[in-house]
Amino acid sequence: MSELIQINAGFNSNEICLKYLEKLIKDHHLSQQNMNNRENNEQFYERISTCFEEHEKYRSFRGVFLDEQQSLDQIMSIQEQEFIDPNYIIGKNVYLNGTYYHGRNIFGQVYQQEFEDKLRQIHENSDNLFGFNIIHSLSDKFSGISMQAIQSLDKQLFCSSTSQFPNLLCCSAIEIYNTILSLNQLIFNCNYTMIYDYNSLSKRVQEQYKYQSLQNCHDIVAETILQNNCSMRFSGYQNGDLRKLAVNLISFPRMHFLSNAFSVINRDKILSDQIYNLMEPRNQNFTFQEDAKNFYRMQATISRTNDLYYEIQDSTSKSQNKTAWVKDSFCNINCKVQHYELGDTVLYIGHHNYFGIYCRQLCLKFLQQWKRKAYFHYFASEGADEFDFIEAEQTVADLYSEYITYDQVDQESME
């Protein structure tokens, strides 16, 4: 049975993980009332070790939390604290400013040894460790710490990330620098990256909650993480883990950046129309809505339904990718256990070419600042080298070139 480690670095990451943990507890019916009725809920506990360590008298969430001490003190006051192992909380009385290199240096000086000790402890308590998932933001002050944490992971295990990208229209120069340095590390050190854009998240929040807040954005991200690994936690008609998704969705290793859209299935409406609506890039709920073209390299769905799986599979079978050698390929994964609150749900995952355009926009923003060496002295005082910035920009520009090259090849093949 595959086991996942959840790693969280920074305030926003920990907020998302706590919401995810709250949903995870409800999804597995781990409240005291449900535990007393275990005979009728055996399916909820069959694969519970995917996300929880099972001890003699209790279960603990397999997650590591890194943050400033003041922020982590709040974790132990939440309702779900009984499922959080205090040994996996790494809080330090340090102050982080907003630069990538300061976070990287602080990790090496303060967090690294204890973090590696916690990972070793989790390794020893695991029977069949599958890999890691790290939640992080590319632009905030913990970006350097989260990237150093990824580099400390076992390269033989699967590494996925839930990454929040900044809105390039309104972010600062320091956030641009942090993002391009972090993205450079993600390209080389991660196998599977689910991307989120706070601008698109905010629009989705306004549609769903009628008012915008960071907590509601975090709630949506946590919901998609719950759906993303549901097939590893419950049985289904066609199960699959994150590695199966990576194999089906990622045609070239560096191009592993995926977007998603989540929806509750309405049985009163035509199912094929609901699935098709999710597949429209302009309707992608959580990523780069502006100017997204309907050009998907690969596509997949993860559904949670007991009786609509074949209908979903039939709906997606009519869709075509724009990649010539897998023109009709569409990966479907199903979990027979419905969502604890929403019922039948479906998560759509798409690998489309717009991320290449985002890389180009990021490089242009970076070069506008870099020509004047704007704010570089902040990074230089923390040991940054100009070559690191040039190398990161070149790597991201090369990724954009890859997207353009393969898109042209695919379009020529389709003609």
Side-chain angles (χ1 to χ4, degrees):
M1 191 176 301
S2 300
E3 298 166 347
L4 281 170
I5 300 177
Q6 182 66 59
I7 298 172
N8 318 281
F11 177 77
N12 288 339
S13 302
N14 289 321
E15 284 282 315
I16 293 172
C17 186
L18 291 178
K19 286 187 174 293
Y20 166 61
L21 176 57
E22 178 184 345
K23 296 175 183 296
L24 198 63
I25 291 169
K26 294 177 181 177
D27 211 25
H28 281 281
H29 290 218
L30 290 178
S31 64
Q32 190 60 46
Q33 180 181 0
N34 295 125
M35 291 291 288
N36 295 335
N37 192 28
R38 176 162 183 167
E39 295 79 11
N40 298 327
N41 295 295
E42 195 62 39
Q43 61 181 342
F44 299 112
Y45 308 104
E46 183 181 0
R47 301 185 185 180
I48 200 169
S49 61
T50 299
C51 297
F52 291 90
E53 291 183 356
E54 296 195 82
H55 303 280
E56 186 176 348
K57 295 183 179 180
Y58 66 97
R59 293 185 176 92
S60 62
F61 177 59
R62 193 181 290 103
V64 181
F65 299 84
L66 293 85
D67 204 348
E68 297 167 358
Q69 186 63 51
Q70 184 177 1
S71 298
L72 289 180
D73 287 341
Q74 301 175 8
I75 291 180
M76 300 313 296
S77 63
I78 65 171
Q79 185 176 357
E80 293 77 20
Q81 62 167 325
E82 61 181 294
F83 295 97
I84 299 176
D85 191 338
N87 292 325
Y88 295 157
I89 294 179
I90 308 174
K92 302 294 183 181
N93 290 315
V94 295
Y95 174 74
L96 288 177
N97 59 23
T99 65
Y100 174 93
Y101 278 91
H102 187 236
R104 191 186 74 167
N105 295 336
I106 287 293
F107 180 84
Q109 298 167 7
V110 179
Y111 289 98
Q112 185 169 6
Q113 186 59 52
E114 189 174 356
F115 176 73
E116 292 177 354
D117 290 342
K118 303 304 181 188
L119 289 184
R120 192 176 303 110
Q121 183 178 346
I122 294 177
H123 270 275
E124 293 172 353
N125 294 335
S126 302
D127 297 323
N128 184 23
L129 194 60
F130 172 79
F132 311 87
N133 181 59
I134 183 166
I135 302 174
H136 68 111
S137 174
L138 272 72
S139 61
D140 72 6
K141 61 184 181 180
F142 267 88
S143 59
I145 285 183
S146 60
M147 290 300 100
Q148 288 301 111
I150 286 182
Q151 294 183 56
S152 299
L153 302 178
D154 187 345
K155 301 304 180 184
Q156 295 181 347
L157 296 174
F158 190 85
C159 179
S160 66
S161 74
T162 302
S163 305
Q164 289 84 50
F165 285 74
N167 181 3
L168 296 180
L169 297 177
C170 60
C171 60
S172 66
I174 290 179
E175 288 178 314
I176 292 291
Y177 289 164
N178 287 348
T179 301
I180 205 160
L181 291 167
S182 299
L183 181 54
N184 178 48
Q185 296 297 332
L186 276 183
I187 291 171
F188 292 110
N189 297 308
C190 203
N191 304 111
Y192 175 100
T193 299
M194 194 66 75
I195 57 180
Y196 297 85
D197 166 38
Y198 272 119
N199 184 40
S200 299
L201 277 173
S202 298
K203 292 180 179 179
R204 176 58 176 158
V205 164
Q206 291 174 344
E207 295 172 6
Q208 183 168 337
Y209 297 98
K210 305 304 180 185
Y211 63 93
Q212 177 182 336
S213 73
L214 195 59
Q215 288 73 22
N216 287 336
C217 288
H218 293 166
D219 186 74
I220 289 178
V221 176
E223 195 68 72
T224 58
I225 297 173
L226 188 76
Q227 184 90 2
N228 204 23
N229 61 33
C230 66
S231 186
M232 300 176 67
R233 298 182 288 109
F234 301 113
S235 61
Y237 294 110
Q238 188 169 345
N239 280 77
D241 55 21
L242 298 179
R243 192 181 301 278
K244 178 179 179 179
L245 286 171
V247 169
N248 282 274
L249 292 170
I250 300 169
S251 49
F252 302 96
R254 285 158 51 98
M255 300 167 61
H256 54 252
F257 298 90
L258 311 171
S259 57
N260 64 77
F262 177 78
S263 178
V264 179
I265 297 175
N266 188 339
R267 290 176 177 264
D268 296 330
K269 296 182 179 180
I270 301 174
L271 180 59
S272 58
D273 292 345
Q274 297 179 62
I275 299 297
Y276 180 78
N277 188 56
L278 285 176
M279 293 161 52
E280 283 292 296
R282 63 175 177 271
N283 295 329
Q284 287 275 331
N285 293 333
F286 318 125
T287 51
F288 318 127
Q289 294 185 37
E290 288 77 11
D291 300 323
K293 299 179 181 179
N294 190 13
F295 192 101
Y296 283 102
R297 308 189 62 80
M298 312 286 181
Q299 302 174 82
T301 57
I302 303 176
S303 56
R304 298 189 64 172
T305 176
N306 191 35
D307 56 350
L308 293 177
Y309 169 65
Y310 294 108
E311 288 82 352
I312 293 175
Q313 193 173 31
D314 181 64
S315 299
T316 57
S317 66
K318 301 172 184 177
S319 302
Q320 288 188 343
N321 299 313
K322 302 298 183 180
T323 306
W325 59 90
V326 285
K327 183 170 60 175
D328 301 318
S329 174
F330 205 115
C331 177
N332 291 280
I333 291 177
N334 172 257
C335 167
K336 290 194 293 185
V337 179
Q338 293 179 314
H339 190 281
Y340 67 92
E341 183 179 36
L342 302 176
D344 296 324
T345 57
V346 60
L347 178 73
Y348 170 80
I349 303 175
H351 184 189
H352 64 79
N353 67 338
Y354 187 75
F355 186 73
I357 300 174
Y358 180 86
C359 290
R360 179 174 180 271
Q361 293 173 345
L362 176 62
C363 288
L364 291 175
K365 286 277 187 179
F366 169 79
L367 291 173
Q368 288 175 1
Q369 305 294 335
W370 187 248
K371 287 178 182 177
R372 298 177 283 112
K373 295 293 194 301
Y375 300 99
F376 174 69
H377 59 283
Y378 287 160
F379 294 81
S381 64
E382 294 157 3
D385 191 299
E386 290 188 21
F387 179 76
D388 294 338
F389 286 80
I390 297 171
E391 181 183 38
E393 189 275 334
Q394 187 61 54
T395 301
V396 177
D398 287 346
L399 182 64
Y400 165 69
S401 299
E402 285 187 44
Y403 272 96
I404 295 301
T405 300
Y406 291 123
D407 288 346
Q408 291 175 346
V409 171
D410 294 334
Q411 289 175 353
E412 291 173 359
S413 302
M414 295 293 288
E415 292 176 357

